Amino acid sequence: QVQLAESGGGVVQAGGSLRLSCVVSGRTLNGYRMGWFRQAPGKEREFVAAMDWKDSSLYADSVKGRFRISRDNAPNTVTLQMDSLKPEDTAVYYCVTDSGRFRPLPTRTYDYWGQGTQVIVSS
């Protein structure tokens, strides 16, 4: 059973930083994409960032240059470093992964989702 557990959310002032972590249990990260989505109040869920097994990454235009997805030194852990945060980044952030290996990075469909972690950016 694959499970994803996010952590690191919280309240931060605009211009500040947060680092989200996602620990995957029940499977390794080898060969699988990892990604982050977010959902703000009253809005649809949207793609934030993703990386593949080659460590290639993809970002939404709204976070490009401010957010960075990477593998952590801790086993089965992926992080999302968020800098220069803006109030519009306020949302619940979800970690995602695939059930199958080697899927194309641009594909926005994922099979496993975490429970989410809340990020609030105050102005």
Side-chain angles (χ1 to χ4, degrees), residues 5-106:
E6 305 99 333
S7 62
V11 181
V12 63
Q13 287 190 330
S17 298
L18 279 176
R19 183 179 175 89
L20 305 183
S21 293
C22 174
V23 179
V24 180
S25 60
R27 195 197 67 194
T28 70
L29 302 186
N30 296 337
Y32 298 94
R33 294 183 306 161
M34 295 294 302
W36 292 88
F37 280 67
R38 68 185 181 187
Q39 187 167 20
K43 295 188 176 181
E44 292 188 356
R45 198 171 291 183
E46 64 175 359
F47 170 80
V48 175
M51 66 183 300
D52 65 12
W53 60 97
K54 303 185 301 292
D55 289 343
S56 297
S57 56
L58 191 65
Y59 297 92
D61 288 343
S62 59
V63 306
K64 204 172 293 183
R66 300 187 298 120
F67 290 13
R68 181 172 179 269
I69 185 171
S70 63
R71 297 182 193 277
D72 196 85
N73 290 330
N76 283 12
T77 302
V78 172
T79 63
L80 183 68
Q81 178 66 41
M82 306 186 297
D83 298 321
S84 302
L85 282 161
K86 305 175 181 180
E88 51 263 44
D89 294 318
T90 294
V92 177
Y93 284 71
Y94 298 90
C95 179
V96 296
T97 191
D98 293 316
S99 61
R101 282 188 164 100
F102 310 127
R103 292 185 181 172
L105 189 58

